[in-house]
Amino acid sequence: MPSQAPITQLISEAEPLLSVEFFPPKTEEAVADLQQAALEINALEPDFVSVTYGAGGTTRSRSAKVSQVMKDEVGLNVMPHLTCVGATREELGEIVDEFYSDGYRNIMTLRGDPPKGQESFVATEGGFSYASDLVSFIKDRHPDFCLGVAGYPEKHPEAADLEKDLDNLKIKVDAGASFITTQLFFDNAAFYTFVEKARGRGIDIPIFPGLMPVVSFKQIQRILQMCGSQLPKALEDKLVPVQDDIQAVQQIGADWAKEQLADLLSNKVPGIHLYALNKADVALDLMKAFRTAAP
Ligand code: FAD
């Protein structure tokens, strides 16, 4: 069985780390395609991969299946994500116990977005309101889980401002998180400011920047609308004239992401997290750039 080393241990052994995020495909058949993509990605030796958890727990079984395939059949160190959406603490406890007995030692610990059709997040009766509650709960149950939490360089969409959001991030960290992975961003200056402000508040755990290369203009607009990150004008000006030319958009997206990556690595980030949208070619291109640029 492949090693499911805690990410804190990986950081102490070798920085910068490289991780790739997958989401569970909509159908069982597509899981086989994803396994092929993961095999190709595994050849470039990511330090770990993460598997997202669907809104409302809708993809719980598919998330579990994808995580298991990645771990046992592909041989990757896998960090499953878990959200508080639609689950009581008993149900979350069962999931966490299962993760533990299946051998996982890392969890990306989240509150989650409101389920479709619901405007704002409402805690399930007997469940949790914030990711920090889930962090405390898991740490009480299995102290040796290494927990990641989400950070938002351009603030979480529901937060009044970045300062308030950082206060809440500090609560999550104090509850027992071991590292932070950020929401995608396209302007490194926003990330550096975020890190500086976090450090100023005594948040001293590693902060991994999340990078997503643009692969489709329509898709990125949809994603940005949901997550609240901004497209810098310089990038928008490059994309708008070629928005219907998929190849041109992908080239611009890849070039921009590679520039961000090189700059982040030269500024000594502890690692890079790639949101590669389940696309092996997109991930491999950036992973090669990482291997070339990483010290
Ligand atoms: P929280 O940290 O609980 O924050 C939510 C909001 O509440 C913020 O505005 C925060 O400022 C505020 N807040 C936090 N604590 C307090 C407090 N104690 N008092 C008052 N206000 C507070 N979504 C999925 O559905 N599945 C996934 O797999 C998934 N993976 C993700 C991975 C990463 C790296 C990131 C960045 C996001 C991911 N998301 C995922 C999206 C995430 O679920 C949403 O952004 C969600 O709206 C917030 O989750 P959170 O864990 O950041 O919540």
Side-chain angles (χ1 to χ4, degrees):
M1 184 170 290
S3 158
Q4 299 298 308
I7 286 152
T8 38
Q9 184 189 321
L10 300 180
I11 295 170
S12 70
E13 287 167 2
E15 267 188 18
L17 300 185
L18 176 60
S19 57
V20 181
E21 182 169 302
F22 295 100
F23 57 87
K26 288 212 165 74
T27 62
E28 287 289 336
E29 301 78 62
V31 174
D33 294 340
L34 187 58
Q35 181 171 352
Q36 182 53 38
L39 281 166
E40 290 171 37
I41 284 167
N42 194 22
L44 285 187
E45 301 180 351
D47 294 287
F48 67 97
V49 299
S50 75
V51 177
T52 66
Y53 194 80
T58 45
T59 60
R60 176 178 168 185
S61 61
R62 255 177 288 128
S63 293
K65 173 75 183 160
V66 169
S67 295
Q68 180 266 319
V69 166
M70 301 272 174
K71 175 168 76 71
D72 298 334
E73 290 172 42
V74 182
L76 289 157
N77 186 348
V78 179
M79 171 172 67
H81 294 201
L82 181 61
T83 76
C84 307
V85 177
T88 62
R89 59 180 62 209
E90 282 72 26
E91 287 162 340
L92 289 165
E94 280 168 24
I95 296 173
V96 166
D97 292 349
E98 213 171 290
F99 283 162
Y100 197 82
S101 62
D102 285 345
Y104 300 103
R105 287 299 175 268
N106 301 289
I107 302 176
M108 175 51 68
T109 313
L110 303 143
R111 184 201 71 179
D113 283 320
K116 252 196 187 126
Q118 206 173 291
E119 277 207 358
S120 54
F121 182 87
V122 180
T124 297
E125 211 181 317
F128 296 120
S129 299
Y130 300 111
S132 53
D133 303 330
L134 185 57
V135 170
S136 305
F137 176 75
I138 298 175
K139 280 309 245 188
D140 277 351
R141 214 167 168 107
H142 297 287
D144 52 338
F145 258 131
C146 171
L147 303 181
V149 291
Y152 302 85
E154 297 173 79
K155 88 169 185 69
H156 182 261
E158 292 165 32
D161 53 42
L162 184 58
E163 304 300 328
K164 189 71 203 126
D165 206 23
L166 280 158
D167 290 342
N168 293 330
L169 179 61
K170 177 80 166 73
I171 298 173
K172 244 179 346 189
V173 172
D174 290 346
S178 293
F179 66 93
I180 295 162
T181 303
T182 76
Q183 186 56 278
L184 64 102
F185 58 89
F186 293 102
D187 178 2
N188 287 359
F191 174 77
Y192 298 135
T193 303
F194 172 76
V195 173
E196 199 184 315
K197 284 177 181 277
R199 299 298 180 230
R201 274 175 168 71
I203 296 175
D204 54 8
I205 58 176
I207 304 181
F208 296 111
L211 283 192
M212 179 184 282
V214 178
V215 295
S216 145
F217 190 63
K218 273 206 184 102
Q219 180 193 46
I220 201 64
Q221 283 178 310
R222 237 184 2 252
I223 292 173
L224 293 174
Q225 210 168 23
M226 282 189 301
C227 76
S229 302
Q230 301 295 315
L231 205 57
K233 182 154 184 340
L235 178 55
E236 192 176 7
D237 285 348
K238 285 175 193 254
L239 291 169
V240 167
V242 298
Q243 56 183 287
D244 297 321
D245 179 345
I246 286 286
Q247 274 187 344
V249 167
Q250 289 196 359
Q251 189 59 55
I252 291 165
D255 290 346
W256 189 276
K258 283 180 204 168
E259 273 182 36
Q260 279 191 275
L261 180 110
D263 180 67
L264 289 163
L265 289 172
S266 70
N267 279 282
K268 305 272 177 281
V269 290
I272 300 276
H273 184 67
L274 295 179
Y275 296 107
L277 301 153
N278 285 4
K279 292 181 189 301
D281 55 339
V282 171
L284 292 172
D285 188 33
L286 279 166
M287 290 173 84
K288 283 179 193 148
F290 176 93
R291 293 283 172 232
T292 309

